[in-house]
Amino acid sequence: MIVGWYKIFVSKLVTRSWPVVIAGWITLAVVLRILSPAWEDIAADGDLAFLPDTVPSVIGQKALVEAFPAMRSRSQMVMIFANPASEMTPGDLALAMDVARRLHWAAAKNTWRGMQSGAGEGESGHFDKVDAELIVDNLTQAIEIEEVLGPYLQSELPEATFLRLPDAYQLRGELLSTLDSADQNSSDQNDQHSGDLRTTAALDLDTAALMREQKTPTLPSVLPEWASSIQDVWSWRHPIVGHKLGSSEPRARLISVQLGSDFTAISNIGMLSGLEHLTRELRPQYAPLTSPDLAVEVSGSAAVGADMLRGAASGLRQTEWVTVVLVLAILTIVYRAPFLVAIPLASIGLSLVVATSLIALLARDPQAAAGDSFGLGVFTTTRIFIVVLLFGAGTDFCLFMLARSRELLQTRGAATRRQMLRVIASGWRSVHDALVASALTTVVGLALMWFSHFEKFQYSGPIIAISLLVTLCVCLTFTPALLSGLGRTAFWPRLRTVESQAARSNLTTRYWQRLADWVVAVPATVMVVTLLGLGIPAAYGMWRMGDVTYDLTEELSASAPSRRGTRLITHFFPMQDGSPITVLLTRQQPFESDDALREACGELSKSLYTDGVDSVRSLTDPLGDYPPGKRMGLFDKDAWRRRLLNRIAQERYVSSVDELQQRVARFDIVLDDNPFSLEASATLSRINARLTQEVATADSAWNAASFATSGTTVGITDLRTVTQGDQTRIQILVTLGVWLVLVVLLRQWWLSSYLIFTVLLSYFATLGITYGLFSTLYAPDYSGLDWKVPIFLFVILVAVGQDYNVYLVTRIFEERHAGGGGRESVKRALQATGGIITSCGFVMAGTFIAMTSPAVLLWLGPYLPEGWVDPSTPVLRGITELGFALACGVLLDTLVVRSILVPAFVVLQSGGARRND
């Protein structure tokens, strides 16, 4: 009774008070848009940053920060200068050196600014010796390059203007003077060393003054904004790690830029663009000296993260406009009436503004740590799902609303405006239950993702659910208000067709009549044949269900700059060197002496050389050059490097934090395999087993110690464990949740169970088709679907896929209530809704296929006018795969499940089949 009163009241309100409803929604949208922050300001991204606090990688990263607070680097970009065809020319090296010189200066300047800002009020005398030495190291590298590069360019390109760095000499001179003063106050001062510092400092200050006096052309002293996150720079010229970066490789050189930002930080986009711009700016100057085959690329974790962010942003823009174009085209084909096209587009546009603004207001600060900020976690790619689902579901809601009003006009007519409003109100009441029911299955399914442990799943589902609820409210109020305001004009120029040609037969009508006759006539045969047809790809999908990849580099298209850089680097260098597993061991009591600590670290290093380990870097072997069985002799050519490493090794591999001194040791373990691979995870398991055994051994120096692990392999292993657990949990919860919603709405548990079965069947069939397609397209580089595809595909298909089933079944119930047997009610319902539900399916599939538009446009790039598509724009393969899979699944649900399997089952269930079937 209450529900009936509610529907009568709301239907009259939205039709009779349509100006108030329209004005209210527009006002709400404007207010929310003004109050809400920009989407870019509240969106975060990345994967490893959103794991639960209880997983090993997060625990290990926190322990690493606590034990080594001075190790500020959180990600890196690696520049490679390479000539694959032959040795690099002196001009090639000169270009690379100039880039390295400027980056060394940027690292020194950033650290210097950090030292200055670190001195608070009353701390004017604050001086961090470690930071000062780091600055001096980078300045020394920049100055040494400048002193080699300047004379070379003057001899080879005398007409060129070489810009120098007097500020580098000035700053190094000042710091060396300060370090000299600190050494004089130290008990272990060395007179010779102190004299060298004073001499170098004086020369630096004189050189800087002379350059200014002679008005030497100089580089700008103000760093560009993109360089603000550079913490340190290593190059092939480094006296200690240079051999790892190409000092002995005649065809390639590396520059490793250590960044203080996380690898998925938004600032990395500017950093990557800045490095690309710097190279483009310098190449013309060195063009007469460089070889035509010289390639310059950028890779590293931060470059991959930047490309993923660029790909997400570019994909979002392309997906939005392609979605609008597709929906506009489909609506135009369906209605061929401008106002009937404009009403859904206006409703969806309003829904998008209100939903995204509301979510932005509810969002948490993306810079705050988990638990420190209240609100929803919003991610860059979430907006893609919001756009496509709002356009798809919103168009479906509007289509059903308009179609029912149009159908009632055909049967009843409306000579006056009052009669027109009554028809619209009646149509609203007749579709209300179907719209709410279909929306609830989707909302409940998506909301149940809240029970995931992985934050991207946990928040994305409820956020999309909130957006769909907003869309449902808009379509139940704003849409009929617009229709009421337009009245008969909404159907122009086909008004006469609406009222006088209801019985007109066309190709579409005849198709649904014949399909309905066939399904009703032989339902058992139809069902068996269709189930067998879907069963083949479904079986293949179940077999390949676990074939997913967690390799973040494979998320990007092959054309992405960071992937080009990765391919070039791996041609010359072992890529896994930059992604070691970091192990921290913490003893309960400190070691008795430095020698005892060194001996314990040396013994543990040897034991960590298990299967799959390439090298172990530690206090006793900082570069991992000496595995068990290889000893360094007194006259080894690398012996001098080993001796120089003492200071760096002490800082990197032994904690200097007061309460942790002589208690915490660090080990960096480089693997043989790709750090994202299952083989790397297996090696991690063996390392954990060795560590567990070590701390449990009574006579071990590390007995009863605790250990923590971090790094790419640890994070990817945790990501795999957490998300696979989430997938199992969410699949069970979503299936049960949607089934319960269907039982409550339809009040037939057997029919509800069958509807769930058909959608699960189409899900596995879709997986099989998707695996088959992309394994063929990506061969031989295919290693599996992106890991996010199966779970998002499952939730959205199981939830959204029920919409069309609910639309059909509720119409069947309505036809039964109007009178007629089981066969006739199914027949009439299928004929009446076939065209409109199929149109809805094509709209939804079109919005999902729009997610593949970045990849399609990239593929079509060579055939399109120049400038339309940037071939270097990254494309996210996971979004492409998911877009295709969702479109395929929706079409299967629309054309096969809803059109054949569901009506056939209803006929059989009602006993309406022919006796001879």
Side-chain angles (χ1 to χ4, degrees):
M1 189 73 178
I2 295 177
V3 174
W5 175 86
Y6 149 77
K7 289 196 290 186
I8 293 172
F9 172 77
V10 176
S11 64
K12 290 182 178 180
L13 175 67
V14 297
T15 53
R16 296 179 182 179
S17 303
W18 61 266
V20 177
V21 173
I22 294 174
W25 272 112
I26 293 176
T27 302
L28 177 63
V30 171
V31 171
L32 287 176
R33 187 66 188 88
I34 293 173
L35 296 178
S36 64
W39 190 269
E40 295 77 12
D41 296 335
I42 50 93
D45 219 311
D47 293 319
L48 302 184
F50 303 106
L51 289 168
D53 291 340
T54 55
V55 299
S57 60
V58 177
I59 295 173
Q61 184 61 33
K62 289 181 179 178
L64 184 63
V65 172
E66 291 173 0
F68 297 90
M71 304 296 290
R72 302 184 184 91
S73 175
R74 302 181 65 187
S75 63
Q76 63 177 344
M77 288 192 186
V78 180
M79 298 188 71
I80 179 169
F81 298 77
N83 188 343
S86 61
E87 291 188 11
M88 295 180 70
T89 66
D92 296 339
L93 291 173
L95 172 61
M97 289 168 63
D98 204 351
V99 172
R101 175 178 70 118
R102 297 169 188 242
L103 294 176
H104 278 300
W105 166 240
K109 191 73 177 289
N110 285 332
T111 308
W112 172 245
R113 287 191 303 197
M115 284 181 60
Q116 290 180 311
S117 63
E121 185 177 353
E123 298 182 14
S124 57
H126 173 77
F127 181 76
D128 190 319
K129 186 176 180 181
V130 174
D131 279 348
E133 290 178 341
L134 177 61
I135 296 171
V136 169
D137 285 345
N138 276 293
L139 292 175
T140 300
Q141 290 293 317
I143 291 171
E144 289 179 352
I145 290 174
E146 188 164 293
E147 291 174 348
V148 172
L149 194 57
Y152 170 76
L153 284 180
Q154 188 175 6
S155 64
E156 298 294 331
L157 295 173
E159 72 283 358
T161 301
F162 181 61
L163 303 178
R164 306 201 66 174
L165 283 167
D167 289 347
Y169 291 88
Q170 181 73 31
L171 180 56
R172 189 174 73 165
E174 293 173 356
L175 284 174
L176 288 177
S177 297
T178 308
L179 287 170
D180 177 45
S181 299
D183 282 349
Q184 290 181 19
N185 296 326
S186 173
S187 59
D188 60 346
Q189 73 173 54
N190 183 291
D191 291 339
Q192 179 65 41
H193 177 67
S194 181
D196 291 341
L197 287 182
R198 284 195 296 273
T199 301
T200 305
L203 286 173
D204 282 347
L205 295 174
D206 288 343
T207 302
L210 184 61
M211 285 184 182
R212 294 190 179 96
E213 181 181 331
Q214 296 178 348
K215 297 183 179 180
T216 303
T218 63
L219 285 169
S221 59
V222 178
L223 295 179
E225 183 63 30
W226 59 263
S228 61
S229 61
I230 298 178
Q231 300 293 312
D232 199 4
V233 175
W234 305 336
S235 77
W236 74 96
R237 295 177 54 86
H238 197 286
I240 298 172
V241 299
H243 69 298
K244 296 281 188 180
L245 300 173
S247 60
S248 58
E249 171 54 62
R251 296 176 298 165
R253 299 289 191 274
L254 296 180
I255 301 174
S256 179
V257 185
Q258 308 298 310
L259 304 178
S261 56
D262 185 74
F263 86 102
T264 55
I266 298 294
S267 61
N268 291 340
I269 298 177
M271 182 69 199
L272 180 57
S273 299
L275 291 178
E276 293 169 341
H277 175 74
L278 177 61
T279 305
R280 287 195 303 268
E281 185 180 42
L282 288 176
R283 287 199 78 152
Q285 177 182 344
Y286 289 88
L289 305 176
T290 55
S291 61
D293 296 324
L294 177 67
V296 183
E297 300 288 355
V298 184
S299 187
S301 59
V304 172
D307 272 345
M308 291 179 69
L309 292 171
R310 291 200 297 190
S314 174
L316 174 59
R317 290 192 300 270
Q318 293 182 0
T319 299
E320 285 183 337
W321 70 259
V322 171
T323 299
V324 172
V325 170
L326 284 174
V327 170
L328 179 62
I330 294 173
L331 289 174
T332 301
I333 293 171
V334 171
Y335 284 121
R336 297 186 294 279
F339 292 109
L340 291 183
V341 173
I343 290 174
L345 288 178
S347 301
I348 297 165
L350 177 70
S351 301
L352 188 61
V353 172
V354 172
T356 54
S357 300
L358 179 61
I359 291 167
L361 286 173
L362 297 175
R364 71 183 184 195
D365 181 1
Q367 303 302 323
D372 294 342
S373 179
F374 175 79
L376 297 173
V378 178
F379 310 99
T380 304
T381 51
T382 305
R383 187 178 174 93
I384 296 178
F385 291 108
I386 292 175
V387 169
V388 296
L389 279 171
L390 255 64
F391 268 88
T395 304
D396 288 357
F397 295 159
C398 292
L399 281 175
F400 267 90
M401 179 76 66
L402 297 174
R404 182 51 65 93
S405 298
R406 180 177 177 175
E407 182 182 338
L408 292 176
L409 280 173
Q410 290 173 337
T411 56
R412 299 181 185 179
T416 65
R417 180 167 181 79
R418 181 180 294 273
Q419 291 176 337
M420 182 73 183
L421 295 180
R422 287 177 180 173
V423 167
I424 296 173
S426 179
W428 186 96
R429 291 191 294 272
S430 63
V431 300
H432 172 274
D433 292 349
L435 294 183
V436 172
S438 66
L440 279 179
T441 59
T442 307
V443 168
V444 169
L446 290 167
L448 287 171
M449 293 184 73
W450 175 260
F451 294 98
S452 302
H453 292 162
F454 182 52
E455 281 195 355
K456 266 197 169 180
F457 294 161
Q458 183 183 28
Y459 288 109
S460 293
I463 284 173
I464 301 170
I466 291 171
S467 302
L468 286 177
L469 283 176
V470 170
T471 305
L472 176 66
C473 293
V474 170
C475 292
L476 285 175
T477 54
F478 184 77
T479 302
L482 281 180
L483 184 60
S484 300
L486 290 170
R488 296 161 62 90
T489 308
F491 299 93
W492 178 85
R494 306 184 68 204
L495 184 60
R496 292 185 178 179
T497 302
V498 170
E499 296 183 346
S500 63
Q501 298 186 19
R504 180 182 175 183
S505 178
N506 54 38
L507 182 62
T508 303
T509 305
R510 291 195 298 272
Y511 168 79
W512 288 109
Q513 288 175 344
R514 292 177 181 177
L515 179 65
D517 290 339
W518 177 55
V519 171
V520 169
V522 286
T525 302
V526 167
M527 181 182 294
V528 171
V529 171
T530 306
L531 289 175
L532 288 175
L534 285 180
I536 296 174
Y540 181 66
M542 294 180 69
W543 178 53
R544 297 292 300 273
M545 189 174 178
D547 291 352
V548 295
T549 177
Y550 283 79
D551 191 336
L552 300 184
T553 60
E554 291 190 4
E555 168 77 356
L556 296 166
S557 57
S559 62
S562 60
R563 288 205 68 182
R564 295 200 311 265
T566 300
R567 289 194 298 271
L568 190 59
I569 291 175
T570 53
H571 185 71
F572 300 99
F573 303 96
M575 193 64 185
Q576 63 268 29
D577 274 4
S579 302
I581 295 173
T582 296
V583 176
L584 287 187
L585 279 101
T586 305
R587 277 172 47 105
Q588 296 178 353
Q589 298 296 327
F591 283 95
E592 297 80 7
S593 64
D594 288 346
D595 290 340
L597 173 60
R598 293 183 66 86
E599 182 179 356
C601 289
E603 291 299 322
L604 183 58
S605 293
K606 295 177 183 178
S607 69
L608 290 175
Y609 275 92
T610 183
D611 291 341
V613 172
D614 176 76
S615 61
V616 179
R617 303 169 184 169
S618 66
L619 176 65
T620 55
D621 188 9
L623 298 179
D625 290 334
Y626 295 92
K630 182 180 180 181
R631 295 177 59 84
M632 181 184 67
L634 180 62
F635 300 103
D636 192 305
K637 66 178 182 178
D638 289 332
W640 65 272
R641 180 184 294 119
R642 183 81 171 268
R643 290 190 288 273
L644 285 175
L645 279 172
N646 286 337
R647 177 179 64 83
I648 294 177
Q650 192 74 22
E651 293 172 358
R652 184 175 180 85
Y653 294 108
V654 179
S655 176
S656 59
V657 176
D658 290 341
E659 61 270 20
L660 298 177
Q661 283 188 9
Q662 298 291 315
R663 290 178 52 208
V664 177
R666 168 179 174 167
F667 302 81
D668 289 334
I669 304 173
V670 178
L671 307 184
D672 288 327
D673 301 300
N674 182 335
F676 298 97
S677 65
L678 287 171
E679 291 79 9
S681 294
T683 302
L684 173 63
S685 297
R686 290 190 289 271
I687 291 171
N688 285 330
R690 287 284 178 92
L691 293 170
T692 302
Q693 181 182 3
E694 188 74 24
V695 300
T697 302
D699 59 351
S700 169
W702 301 101
N703 177 247
S706 61
F707 68 88
T709 55
S710 61
T712 300
T713 299
V714 185
I716 290 298
T717 302
D718 290 341
L719 183 66
R720 185 182 290 113
T721 301
V722 170
T723 55
Q724 288 181 352
D726 281 344
Q727 182 168 344
T728 301
R729 183 183 310 105
I730 295 307
Q731 284 177 340
I732 294 172
L733 287 176
V734 170
T735 302
L736 289 176
V738 174
W739 179 79
L740 286 173
V741 171
L742 290 174
V743 170
V744 171
L745 294 174
L746 304 180
R747 300 177 185 176
Q748 293 189 19
W749 72 270
W750 187 243
L751 175 59
S752 301
S753 302
Y754 177 76
L755 295 181
I756 289 291
F757 163 75
T758 58
V759 174
L760 291 177
L761 180 65
S762 67
Y763 164 73
F764 286 113
T766 301
L767 266 187
I769 294 170
T770 305
Y771 279 120
L773 174 67
F774 287 100
S775 61
T776 302
L777 290 177
Y778 293 157
D781 298 328
Y782 178 76
S783 58
L785 290 179
D786 182 77
W787 58 274
K788 297 181 287 295
V789 171
I791 187 166
F792 275 114
L793 177 65
F794 180 88
V795 173
I796 294 176
L797 272 193
V798 170
V800 175
Q802 294 297 349
D803 287 4
Y804 310 125
N805 293 338
V806 169
Y807 289 148
L808 176 63
V809 171
T810 53
R811 185 58 183 263
I812 291 174
F813 291 169
E814 184 180 334
E815 293 295 336
R816 282 183 183 175
H817 183 73
R823 289 180 59 206
E824 287 304 314
S825 60
V826 170
K827 196 173 184 179
R828 289 200 302 266
L830 190 56
Q831 290 175 0
T833 62
I836 190 61
I837 293 181
T838 302
S839 299
C840 291
F842 279 116
V843 169
M844 184 70 79
T847 60
F848 286 140
I849 208 67
M851 295 168 66
T852 70
S853 58
V856 173
L857 290 173
L858 182 65
W859 177 68
L860 292 174
Y863 310 101
L864 296 174
E866 185 176 355
W868 280 33
V869 179
D870 182 359
S872 65
T873 300
V875 174
L876 301 183
R877 281 172 45 165
I879 295 295
T880 303
E881 293 167 356
L882 183 57
F884 170 81
L886 288 169
C888 178
V890 167
L891 289 178
L892 284 180
D893 281 333
T894 304
L895 301 177
V896 179
V897 173
R898 182 267 317 183
S899 301
I900 299 174
L901 290 180
V902 172
F905 178 82
V906 174
V907 171
L908 290 173
Q909 185 189 33
S910 63
R914 292 180 177 177
R915 295 177 180 271
N916 59 356
D917 183 33

